Structures are given as C-alpha cells and as structure tokens.
Amino acid sequence: MRNRSDAGPESSVLSAVFENRGWEWCRGAVDDAGLRELAAEADRVAGESGTACVRRLCERSIRIGEWVASPAIRRLLPRGVEPVRSILFDKTPRENW
C-alpha cells in the first residue's frame, strides 16, 4: 500500500499498483472525522436506495460529490484524469452476491 498523496497534478501516469489492481489505498486522503462523515453519508444514500448497489453516487450525494471534486482527492489523480463514475457497493449478509 503506497501513499499517493505526493502524486500531484504534475504526475502523468497511474501507479503500477493501480494499473495491476484497478485500485490503490491512498492513506491520508481523508482524516478520521471526514471518513466517519463520508461513511454516514454513504449509509444514508444506501438506506434511501434500498439496494446494495447505488449508481451515480456523486449525483445522489452533494457531500460525496464535493469530496470527490476536492483538491485533496484531485491531487491523487494523474494530470488529465477525472472521475467519471461513482458506484457504492454496500454488501450485506442479505445481499452478498
């Protein structure tokens, strides 16, 4: 797990970890209080949808959409890369496909 907080907008390539896995841990992208707030917001949106999969999460939640567009998150992405899809998977024992 590599910290990508130093990638910055000058970066033009994705890390090898991201290229291989399709995801990467980004420690420090959000503090504990912010993480609790985002988790509560994700729970709210998932509860309203009544399903384990919520598409267009950033459109359904202003708070999550603002976080995704924040400088703290944008600096983790290589130059020219923008989030285009937001999906919340909230697997539960009842919906664990």
Side-chain angles (χ1 to χ4, degrees):
M1 292 183 257
R2 195 164 72 87
N3 186 339
R4 295 274 293 154
S5 63
D6 59 350
E10 67 281 354
S11 176
S12 62
V13 295
L14 295 172
S15 75
V17 171
F18 188 89
E19 288 285 347
N20 289 327
R21 294 183 184 163
W23 60 272
E24 183 175 357
W25 287 111
C26 298
R27 304 267 184 217
V30 62
D31 61 21
D32 289 343
L35 187 58
R36 284 190 297 275
E37 181 184 334
L38 289 167
E41 179 65 359
D43 286 345
R44 181 193 68 76
V45 174
E48 286 179 0
S49 75
T51 181
C53 177
V54 178
R55 297 182 188 280
R56 300 183 321 276
L57 179 61
C58 289
E59 294 173 30
R60 293 174 184 237
S61 167
I62 292 170
R63 174 64 186 108
I64 292 174
E66 288 174 346
W67 179 72
V68 168
S70 73
I73 299 305
R74 298 302 302 261
R75 77 168 187 255
L76 299 172
L77 302 173
R79 182 180 48 245
V81 173
E82 304 225 0
V84 295
R85 188 173 301 145
S86 55
I87 302 171
L88 170 65
F89 292 104
D90 186 19
K91 289 187 174 184
T92 65
R94 196 183 74 180
E95 291 185 275
N96 188 17
W97 23 268

